Amino acid sequence: QQQVKQSPQSLIVQKGGISIINCAYENTAFDYFPWYQQFPGKGPALLIAIRPDVSEKKEGRFTISFNKSAKQFSLHIMDSQPGDSATYFCAASIINNLFFGTGTRLTVIP
Amino acid sequence: DTGVSQNPRHKITKRGQNVTFRCDPISEHNRLYWYRQTLGQGPEFLTYFQNEAQLEKSRLLSDRFSAERPKGSFSTLEIQRTEQGDSAMYLCASSSPGGGSYNEQFFGPGTRLTVL
């Protein structure tokens, strides 16, 4: 059973556009929601994270929007760049367990 | 670079053989995690150590899998009698002690296993 559902599976965006990736969860015990970025041949790297008592967090061009009542959260990448082309994973945490979504492969076209 | 390191980076083996992977965490991190990632999927939790104690194991960790962290530093993951279904990327992560219920996990580059 997938603890965290992620969509879309793949996304193509023009340079300068906004990339939006969505995730949903069921378990209300999750207490931390990180997003990871993974390049081919590399391990995932933490991009940005949010706790459920906050509705939005912004770091540079990356923003997490969090809707606790809907049990949904999303990643917005503003002014998308070709260097952002990677696979993005949302995740949810209980204590030290991380449950990952299935990933979104983002391609930013120059 | 003092990040998480994993060796080997790639391993090709024949079905039925045993394989062992090594993970060296960030030096001051006392928590170490193993994950498995198959193509097109996110990492799946396998097991977790705090210092040398293995505190949690996933149901994915069958009896053919064993992990150790003998001195609370590096860790090894052994797979006995490998099967083709074991082909995956095996990721190691570490985190530091701290307050709160969650600590940022830093991932290594992974070991890609191919079972022929």
Side-chain angles (χ1 to χ4, degrees):
Chain A
Q1 182 184 4
Q2 192 71 36
Q3 295 265 9
V4 181
K5 296 182 179 179
Q6 182 172 348
S7 63
Q9 187 173 3
S10 62
L11 182 61
I12 299 174
V13 174
Q14 294 279 352
K15 178 184 175 181
I18 302 173
S19 303
I20 302 174
I21 304 171
N22 301 299
C23 286
Y25 64 97
E26 285 298 323
N27 190 341
T28 55
F30 288 137
D31 60 1
Y32 198 74
F33 300 86
W35 284 87
Y36 281 82
Q37 180 188 56
Q38 186 175 29
F39 292 103
K42 304 286 188 181
L46 180 68
L47 192 61
I48 187 173
I50 198 168
R51 294 196 181 273
D53 54 349
V54 177
S55 61
E56 185 175 282
K57 184 174 182 180
K58 183 176 181 179
E59 291 183 0
R61 295 184 294 109
F62 301 91
T63 300
I64 300 178
S65 296
F66 189 85
N67 187 329
K68 187 174 181 178
S69 60
K71 293 186 282 188
Q72 295 175 347
F73 58 111
S74 60
L75 176 69
H76 296 233
I77 305 175
M78 311 299 287
D79 187 26
S80 300
Q81 299 297 313
D84 296 331
S85 296
T87 299
Y88 292 80
F89 293 96
C90 61
S93 172
I94 300 176
I95 310 176
N96 285 289
N97 285 1
L98 265 180
F99 297 90
F100 285 83
T102 51
T104 296
R105 178 175 285 187
L106 172 65
T107 302
V108 181
I109 300 172
Chain B
D1 186 359
T2 56
V4 178
S5 62
Q6 293 187 245
N7 288 289
R9 295 292 310 278
H10 304 272
K11 179 70 177 178
I12 300 174
T13 191
K14 293 182 179 179
R15 188 178 56 184
Q17 298 294 305
N18 298 344
V19 294
T20 300
F21 311 140
R22 174 175 171 132
C23 170
D24 288 88
I26 294 171
S27 59
E28 64 268 26
H29 286 184
N30 71 335
R31 297 177 181 180
L32 186 147
Y33 313 79
W34 284 99
Y35 292 83
R36 182 179 72 182
Q37 185 177 23
T38 53
L39 200 61
Q41 298 295 318
E44 296 172 291
F45 171 79
L46 292 178
T47 191
Y48 152 61
F49 290 85
Q50 182 159 310
N51 299 312
E52 65 276 8
Q54 188 173 17
L55 296 185
E56 191 164 349
K57 295 193 288 186
S58 162
R59 287 175 297 176
L60 294 174
L61 210 67
S62 75
D63 56 5
R64 296 185 297 106
F65 289 69
S66 63
E68 294 182 344
R69 194 182 183 198
K71 296 182 180 179
S73 57
F74 73 92
S75 175
T76 58
L77 178 67
E78 180 183 16
I79 308 175
Q80 297 182 326
R81 306 182 303 280
T82 52
E83 301 173 355
Q84 288 183 326
D86 297 331
S87 296
M89 175 79 84
Y90 290 86
L91 292 162
C92 175
S94 69
S95 69
S96 63
S101 60
Y102 176 77
N103 295 295
E104 178 184 350
Q105 296 185 22
F106 294 83
F107 282 82
T111 295
R112 180 166 294 283
L113 172 66
T114 301
V115 181
L116 302 176

